[in-house]
Amino acid sequence: MRVIVTGGSGFIGSALCRHLVRERGASVLNIDALTYAAAPGTLADIEARPEYRFAKGDIRDAAAMMRLVADFKPTAICNVAAESHVDRSISGPKAFLETNITGVFAMLEAARSYWDGLSEPARSAFRFVQVSTDEVFGTAAAGTRFTEETPYDPSSPYSASKAAGDHLVRAWGRTYGLPVVLTNCSNNYGPYQFPEKFIPLALLSALHAGEIPVYGDGQNVRDWLFVDDHARGIADAMAKGVPGESYLFGGNAERRNIEVAHAICDALDAVHRPNEPRRNLIRHVTDRPGHDRRYAVDFSKAERELGWTPSVSFEDGLARTIAWYSENAWWWQPLQTRYDGRRIGLLKTS
Ligand SMILES: NC(=O)c1ccc[n+]([C@@H]2O[C@H](COP(=O)([O-])OP(=O)(O)OC[C@H]3O[C@@H](n4cnc5c(N)ncnc54)[C@H](O)[C@@H]3O)[C@@H](O)[C@H]2O)c1
């Protein structure tokens, strides 16, 4: 198995590279542009292994992608690279359109040109896996959950750009016959997540007695999946997914944002209780424009057809995440020069 992972230096891509190298015996080429979201040292634990290779490259660079794909001769490409932070997409949508749409187009064309030259059985066995998000579905009404049949209805520039990329992937499957598989996953958390995202942001603030920002009334609901479970799901979709199909992954862990903030505070208080409970650090701040109220995922198709199921409970995963950030300041401290916790993604009128 020879797998190209784009965006392998980011949060989910790095978990996928580790999983493929350690658990699946794959040779992996990580292609990453090393944007602000890629932290040095994220792949320190596998980068000396002979099965792992890195190429600095931008997925928007069509000629470079053609070359890298042709040289590596992959059995699969997992497109994980993306601009991924909703607040940044509100402040500056252009980079999202460029990477999440034009970048997907360039990867699809590189894959198609390589795949066109393959003969059987390699041609039928090849897979292009597009890693997407449940945010493309917009908000889930109370009592409902997204399924693979739910129409796309994105609310943010981020989710709209991901939706557009997914449409291209499906079209390349239908028009050119490229064997594409899509995955849509709920919110991830775990080690190596850039500290602008909600769980590491809240957790690092709580560790250092800083304010913990919670958007709006804190009642927005997200479903949470531990990142290693997602990595395993992507690998399962690559190995067992049917071309043209999509698979949803979720954690069976719907939580209101305020509940997540409370859980982080209480877990830290249980280890070291300061004079005041850490819940007092929580501040309700102006809501995110276009903020979806609820995401909820029905992942029974992945259970049925891929044999995938989440293995880490939210409580266990959160405890592991807290322990990891507490012990790995070497990783996140340098990132604070790139991201100082300042609020972005507000409209001038907010
Ligand atoms: N984080 C989540 O909760 C979540 C949930 C579901 C789906 N997803 C999807 O998973 C994917 C990865 O998310 P993440 O949280 O790991 O993101 P991330 O921001 O942590 O990592 C993105 C990686 O892509 C790289 N990258 C960005 N633009 C690039 C370009 N033009 N060329 C090459 N590399 C580029 C960055 O350097 C970085 O290493 C995204 O497609 C996202 O939509 C994320």
Side-chain angles (χ1 to χ4, degrees):
M1 212 194 319
R2 298 174 63 76
V3 185
I4 288 181
V5 176
T6 68
S9 302
F11 170 48
I12 294 167
S14 64
L16 179 61
C17 289
R18 269 182 226 105
H19 178 80
L20 289 171
V21 166
R22 288 183 181 153
E23 314 292 333
R24 309 263 173 156
S27 291
V28 171
L29 172 65
N30 165 19
I31 303 176
D32 198 296
L34 302 181
T35 70
Y36 81 95
T42 295
L43 282 162
D45 49 357
I46 60 161
E47 63 198 3
R49 292 178 67 137
E51 310 94 308
Y52 172 80
R53 274 197 256 166
F54 171 73
K56 186 164 188 234
D58 192 314
I59 63 165
R60 295 168 296 181
D61 183 344
M65 293 307 113
M66 292 265 184
R67 257 194 323 274
L68 285 166
V69 172
D71 287 352
F72 188 71
K73 302 183 176 36
T75 53
I77 296 174
C78 294
N79 186 44
V80 191
E83 287 291 339
S84 70
H85 188 46
V86 177
D87 289 343
R88 284 183 193 261
S89 83
I90 297 167
S91 297
K94 190 162 182 274
F96 288 72
L97 272 61
E98 289 173 354
T99 286
N100 301 355
I101 306 175
T102 309
V104 172
F105 167 58
M107 285 313 300
L108 284 166
E109 284 295 82
R112 184 164 75 93
S113 147
Y114 165 71
W115 175 78
D116 267 344
L118 291 178
S119 42
E120 294 295 351
R123 189 176 160 84
S124 301
F126 180 82
R127 291 290 179 275
F128 184 99
V129 181
Q130 167 73 357
V131 174
S132 190
T133 161
D134 65 352
E135 300 192 23
V136 294
F137 299 118
T139 212
T144 68
R145 289 188 294 168
F146 304 135
T147 71
E148 286 75 7
E149 273 68 53
T150 305
Y152 277 25
D153 185 21
S155 301
S156 71
Y158 161 67
S159 54
S161 69
K162 289 295 294 181
D166 293 1
H167 288 321
L168 294 181
V169 172
R170 277 213 181 83
W172 261 240
R174 288 185 198 154
T175 302
Y176 302 110
L178 188 69
V180 299
V181 173
L182 289 94
T183 67
N184 299 86
C185 188
S186 61
N187 276 39
N188 284 214
Y189 68 103
Y192 300 105
Q193 187 169 29
F194 195 83
E196 66 189 348
K197 302 282 169 68
F198 179 52
I199 286 187
L201 177 66
L203 149 51
L204 293 178
S205 302
L207 267 177
H208 299 112
E211 288 191 355
I212 303 170
V214 170
Y215 291 174
D217 61 6
Q219 299 300 311
N220 297 58
V221 174
R222 300 292 177 258
D223 173 64
W224 292 95
L225 181 69
F226 192 66
V227 66
D228 290 349
D229 276 339
H230 186 193
R232 182 167 45 83
I234 298 167
D236 285 342
M238 181 184 79
K240 302 182 213 162
V242 175
E245 295 290 317
S246 61
Y247 300 90
L248 267 50
F249 298 124
N252 241 346
E254 280 183 50
R255 298 285 185 283
R256 294 175 198 287
N257 287 345
I258 191 70
E259 290 174 332
V260 174
H262 285 162
I264 291 169
C265 291
D266 297 350
L268 284 169
D269 283 358
V271 178
H272 168 71
R273 176 144 199 146
N275 295 337
E276 274 195 68
R278 285 182 173 83
R279 285 186 181 208
N280 291 355
L281 298 169
I282 294 173
R283 298 281 177 276
H284 289 271
V285 298
T286 309
D287 206 356
R288 170 187 280 166
H291 201 182
D292 286 324
R293 197 63 174 165
R294 176 170 172 263
Y295 300 134
V297 173
D298 173 353
F299 53 85
S300 53
K301 180 177 174 186
E303 289 190 302
R304 227 172 27 247
E305 296 186 15
L306 305 178
W308 177 91
T309 198
S311 70
V312 181
S313 71
F314 184 67
E315 289 64 34
D316 184 25
L318 192 60
R320 286 202 222 173
T321 306
I322 291 172
W324 188 86
Y325 278 88
S326 305
E327 289 158 15
N328 289 285
W330 68 269
W331 183 84
W332 54 259
Q333 241 161 15
L335 302 181
Q336 293 186 320
T337 57
R338 292 188 214 172
Y339 173 68
D340 58 8
R342 216 163 17 96
R343 180 76 191 273
I344 54 171
L346 285 175
L347 309 180
K348 286 210 172 65
T349 49
S350 303

